[in-house]
């Protein structure tokens, strides 16, 4: 098996294979691992591929953390406000819509007992967490292009760094939300802890879609530009700034929009209590988890070819 693999052609940038085969590990003859490059597609042995994937996530967690810290320091270097920039986007979006609502330019109302500013701020934070998760796979891999071409390391560390950035922004924005809710004395229902579950599923949905799009998005910038262009349009189609419609075609569009039931369920749990969107939340949460798993596998299988294109 080893001799057969050693004679096969190699791909530039391909993940080195250790001296194992899908049937089981082969005892090493030396203390150093033997690296064998093979043209054989990893997807032909899914169990072996998943095992390697899990190993690389474990091996890459420390590097992912270091990359996250490096990116974070680079993002806020030479800024006077520093981490405040992490909370300004949802804060400014909320202020704009609160002013428009106060002047009756728009006629959006929040549920009874919930201030409109808190309702919009919560929806905006959830929406931006989804968009950041959607962009994370492509942006984090683009940030590591030079490393991918020149060095051999667990590629999954880039995904860990991107996800850590999404969670950091969410934590900073939730701190702002807690302060606003405390100042406005908004009552917290017993279902509030489920807000974190709802947010996690919304991030999983965005991350799954981003991972599926990543192989194409790393070759063509159209994908990244399309996300940036259509994100505001999608936000207006999703009940981020207004209450979900309860009848007509708009209600059907609501249930067909994967982001809407998930976002509304998370917001209801934090501000109101039990949610009528539980069925949609469960269905689209399962979709998000499946997309994340499939996206990770597809990205790993396509990574050698993507690195070859990046280096050419």
């Amino acid at each position: 098996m080893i001799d057969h693999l050693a004679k096969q052609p190699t791909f530039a940038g391909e993940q080195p294979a250790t001296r194992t085969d899908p049937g089981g590990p082969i005892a090493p003859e030396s203390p150093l691992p033997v690296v064998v490059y093979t043209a054989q597609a990893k997807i032909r042995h899914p169990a072996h591929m998943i095992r390697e994937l899990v190993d690389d996530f474990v091996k890459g967690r420390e590097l992912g953390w270091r990359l996250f810290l490096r990116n974070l320091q680079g993002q806020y270097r030479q800024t006077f406000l520093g981490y405040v920039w992490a909370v300004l986007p949802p804060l400014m979006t909320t202020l704009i819509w609160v002013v428009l609502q106060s002047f009756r330019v728009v006629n959006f109302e929040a549920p009874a007992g919930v201030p409109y500013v808190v309702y919009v701020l919560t929806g905006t934070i959830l929406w931006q967490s989804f968009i950041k998760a959607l962009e994370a796979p492509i942006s984090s891999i683009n940030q590591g292009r030079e490393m991918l071409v020149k060095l051999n390391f667990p590629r999954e560390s880039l995904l860990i760094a991107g996800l850590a950035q999404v969670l950091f922004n969410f934590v900073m924005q939730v701190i702002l939300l807690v302060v606003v809710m405390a100042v406005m004395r908004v009552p917290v229902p017993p279902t509030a802890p489920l807000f974190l579950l709802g947010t996690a599923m919304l991030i999983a949905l965005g991350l799954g879609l981003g991972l599926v799009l990543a192989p194409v998005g790393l070759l063509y910038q159209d994908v990244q530009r399309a996300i940036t262009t259509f994100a505001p349009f999608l936000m207006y189609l999703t009940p981020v700034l207004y209450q979900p419609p309860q009848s007509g075609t708009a209600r059907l569009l609501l249930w067909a929009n994967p982001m809407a039931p998930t976002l509304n369920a998370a917001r209801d749990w934090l501000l109101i209590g039990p949610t009528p969107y539980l069925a949609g939340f469960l269905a689209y949460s399962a979709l998000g988890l499946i997309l994340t798993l499939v996206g990770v596998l597809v990205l790993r299988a396509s990574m050698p070819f993507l690195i070859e294109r990046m280096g050419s």
Side-chain angles (χ1 to χ4, degrees), residues 214-296:
V216 180
L218 292 169
L219 296 178
Y220 304 101
Q221 294 187 7
D222 305 71
V223 174
Q224 186 68 45
R225 292 177 185 275
I227 292 174
T228 304
T229 302
F230 290 106
F233 177 70
L234 290 175
M235 187 182 79
Y236 296 135
L237 288 180
T238 306
V240 176
L241 309 169
Y242 52 88
Q243 292 193 62
Q246 300 300 319
S247 61
T249 306
R251 179 176 170 80
L252 295 178
L253 291 176
L254 168 71
W255 285 100
N257 180 353
M259 290 80 77
T262 313
L263 186 147
N264 280 303
R267 184 165 53 185
D268 287 352
W269 283 327
L270 178 65
L271 302 178
I272 301 174
T275 176
Y277 304 101
L278 182 59
F281 169 79
L282 293 175
Y284 288 122
S285 295
L287 175 64
L289 295 175
I290 293 172
L291 283 176
T292 301
L293 177 60
V294 172
V296 168

Side-chain angles (χ1 to χ4, degrees), residues 65-242:
W65 176 252
R66 295 292 178 185
L67 291 173
F68 160 66
L69 294 178
R70 183 203 65 175
N71 296 340
L72 190 64
Q73 292 171 357
Q75 185 175 359
Y76 297 107
R77 184 179 298 143
Q78 296 183 337
T79 61
F80 178 75
L81 297 179
Y83 296 148
V84 175
W85 286 108
V87 303
L88 280 182
L91 182 61
M92 295 309 298
T93 302
T94 301
L95 289 178
I96 290 172
W97 287 96
V98 168
V99 170
L100 292 176
Q101 198 267 352
S102 64
F103 284 102
R104 294 298 174 186
V105 178
V106 295
N107 188 23
F108 296 153
E109 298 290 343
V114 179
Y116 183 68
V117 59
V118 175
Y119 191 75
V120 174
L121 181 59
T122 307
T124 305
I125 290 173
L126 289 169
W127 177 256
Q128 296 207 353
S129 297
F130 167 78
I131 291 297
K132 291 297 182 184
L134 178 63
E135 296 175 334
I138 296 177
S139 62
S140 60
I141 294 175
N142 275 330
Q143 287 178 329
R145 272 178 179 262
E146 292 188 7
M147 290 177 57
L148 285 170
V149 174
K150 297 177 181 178
L151 302 175
N152 184 21
F153 63 97
R155 283 68 163 115
E156 286 70 20
S157 59
L158 296 174
L159 298 180
I160 294 173
L163 180 60
Q165 181 70 53
V166 174
L167 297 177
F168 172 81
N169 288 336
F170 172 72
V171 169
M172 294 294 294
Q173 293 168 5
V174 163
I175 292 174
L176 170 67
L177 178 61
V178 170
V179 171
V180 173
M181 291 178 65
V183 170
M184 303 194 74
R185 298 182 179 180
V186 178
V188 179
T191 56
L194 292 175
F195 171 71
L196 297 178
L197 173 65
T199 305
M201 292 300 103
L202 193 63
I203 290 176
L205 185 60
L207 188 64
L209 291 172
L211 287 167
V212 172
L213 294 173
V216 180
L218 292 169
L219 296 178
Y220 304 101
Q221 294 187 7
D222 305 71
V223 174
Q224 186 68 45
R225 292 177 185 275
I227 292 174
T228 304
T229 302
F230 290 106
F233 177 70
L234 290 175
M235 187 182 79
Y236 296 135
L237 288 180
T238 306
V240 176
L241 309 169
Y242 52 88

